[in-house]
Amino acid sequence: MEPLLGALLGLILAVASSAQDNCTCETNKWTVCAQDGSRNCTCMLVGSNHRVDCSTLTSKCLLMKAEMTPLKEKHFWGQPHVLLDIDGIYNPDCEDSGVFKARQCNQTDTCWCVNTAGVRRTEKGDKSLSCGELVRTSWIYIEMKHQKRSRAFNVTNIENALRHLFESRYKLHPKFITAVKYKSPLIRIHLIQQGSEKSRCDVDIADVAYYFEKDVKYDSVFHSNRTLTVSVNGDALDIEKIRIYYVDEKPPEFCMKQLAAGFSAVVTVVTVTAGFGIAVLVILRQLRIRKYEKIEMKETGEIRAPSLQ
């Protein structure tokens, strides 16, 4: 009887251990997860007390905040020697909903306004800067280039593969993927999502673009399957370059003084270049006239003073 009881106890412990191991956030590796008394798995964002919904993508603002957490707080990962490329990443201020606050400031008195993708859309100022509403990024244009290959992919196959990727991996509704264009080796993807079109259950295209960029740069946010693999009719799509452009519902508000200065600089360069070109033409014309005069003097035997034209 005792061996049977011991085996049963071992089975229970094994099941409990397996359940604990499965308590992870598949869509966000920057989380600490634990089971409560009811065996419900709860995941909290690293560096904050924000509870994460692991059934969908985490907002870009919260992800950036987690990435700014000191490495000593990331040892839960099991990889204490991981190094992160945080160029272009800042520690953002997020609303309770997870979206960016319209005004962002660094550790000093420098502040600026951002869009829903967290991209700066104004000049930097001091803490008196007022940003008003958070302007929505409604169009994201992704441009990338795949590695050289002997033969280009089929256009239809690569479009279907990328559409499936965005729909299955990032949970993006197909209506927001407005175009996938391909001309080897360039691939262009258009994501358009107006504020009036987005429901509460829809993922934001800014979050999708951030997850995708992280995947391409081998720094996936997903807990497992960190290496992105895209198959196009059986052939691997290896992306080597990516660039993302953001278009807001309202134009950016950069300082006109700086734009005027930039325009003046362009005008100055053009003026100097044109003046130099005119001077060269005048000198060449003078040299050509003198050459003709010398030839004429040799033919007629006349001696004349140099022309002043």
Side-chain angles (χ1 to χ4, degrees):
M1 186 67 179
E2 290 183 359
L4 181 61
L5 182 60
L8 181 60
L9 181 59
L11 179 62
I12 293 174
L13 292 175
V15 171
S17 177
S18 176
Q20 185 68 29
D21 290 340
N22 291 330
C23 184
T24 57
C25 188
E26 177 60 28
T27 58
N28 188 347
K29 66 185 180 183
W30 303 112
T31 52
V32 177
C33 302
Q35 286 184 330
D36 57 21
S38 302
R39 293 186 180 180
N40 296 319
C41 184
T42 302
C43 297
M44 309 298 289
L45 189 73
V46 175
S48 73
N49 294 322
H50 193 96
R51 186 170 179 174
V52 177
D53 180 1
C54 298
S55 66
T56 187
L57 304 186
T58 304
S59 71
K60 180 180 178 181
C61 187
L62 293 176
L63 289 176
M64 288 174 60
K65 180 171 287 292
E67 287 178 303
M68 292 299 293
T69 303
L71 284 176
K72 64 180 181 181
E73 296 185 22
K74 299 175 183 175
H75 288 182
F76 71 95
W77 242 32
Q79 298 182 359
H81 302 296
V82 165
L83 296 177
L84 299 176
D85 179 9
I86 59 173
D87 289 342
I89 300 296
Y90 59 92
N91 191 0
D93 292 323
C94 309
E95 300 285 0
D96 292 338
S97 61
V99 301
F100 288 92
K101 289 187 176 180
R103 192 186 73 166
Q104 298 291 325
C105 301
N106 58 16
Q107 300 301 318
T108 63
D109 292 334
T110 303
C111 300
W112 61 92
C113 302
V114 300
N115 54 23
T116 52
V119 179
R120 184 165 62 90
R121 50 177 280 110
T122 66
E123 295 298 334
K124 293 183 178 181
D126 55 27
K127 288 191 174 182
S128 65
L129 178 68
S130 177
C131 295
E133 64 175 329
L134 179 67
V135 178
R136 177 168 184 77
T137 297
S138 57
W139 175 26
I140 292 182
Y141 171 64
I142 303 173
E143 183 179 83
M144 51 191 181
K145 179 181 179 182
H146 65 66
Q147 293 182 1
K148 291 183 179 180
R149 49 186 285 117
S150 57
R151 187 175 57 180
F153 291 103
N154 177 272
V155 176
T156 303
N157 290 341
I158 202 169
E159 178 179 354
N160 292 338
L162 289 172
R163 286 184 178 274
H164 176 72
L165 172 71
F166 277 78
E167 293 172 26
S168 60
R169 186 174 178 87
Y170 309 111
K171 313 302 180 184
L172 183 63
H173 196 287
K175 68 180 180 180
F176 300 129
I177 311 172
T178 57
V180 178
K181 301 179 181 180
Y182 173 60
K183 185 176 181 181
S184 182
L186 295 177
I187 304 170
R188 297 179 176 89
I189 303 174
H190 295 252
L191 307 179
I192 297 180
Q193 185 182 61
Q194 303 293 338
S196 58
E197 298 176 328
K198 182 181 179 299
S199 66
R200 294 187 61 182
C201 60
D202 287 324
V203 294
D204 196 288
I205 57 173
D207 302 335
V208 171
Y210 193 67
Y211 268 78
F212 180 61
E213 183 179 18
K214 287 288 186 179
D215 276 337
V216 171
K217 294 182 177 180
Y218 303 101
D219 187 22
S220 178
V221 180
F222 291 98
H223 188 273
S224 60
N225 191 25
R226 295 174 188 166
T227 301
L228 176 66
T229 55
V230 182
S231 177
V232 181
N233 199 27
D235 294 332
L237 176 63
D238 297 317
I239 303 170
E240 61 180 9
K241 291 182 180 180
I242 183 171
R243 182 171 293 177
I244 300 179
Y245 302 89
Y246 304 88
V247 180
D248 296 343
E249 291 181 344
K250 294 182 179 181
E253 303 172 4
F254 290 102
C255 180
M256 291 304 297
K257 290 182 179 180
Q258 185 177 31
L259 295 177
F263 179 75
S264 299
V266 172
V267 171
T268 302
V269 171
V270 172
T271 303
V272 171
T273 303
F276 179 76
I278 293 172
V280 170
L281 291 176
V282 171
I283 293 173
L284 291 177
R285 181 175 180 275
Q286 292 290 343
L287 293 175
R288 187 169 59 253
I289 292 174
R290 292 186 180 184
K291 180 178 179 182
Y292 290 153
E293 288 180 348
K294 289 182 179 180
I295 295 175
E296 183 181 355
M297 289 170 62
K298 288 182 179 180
E299 291 178 350
T300 59
E302 296 180 358
I303 301 177
R304 296 189 300 179
S307 174
L308 298 178
Q309 295 181 356

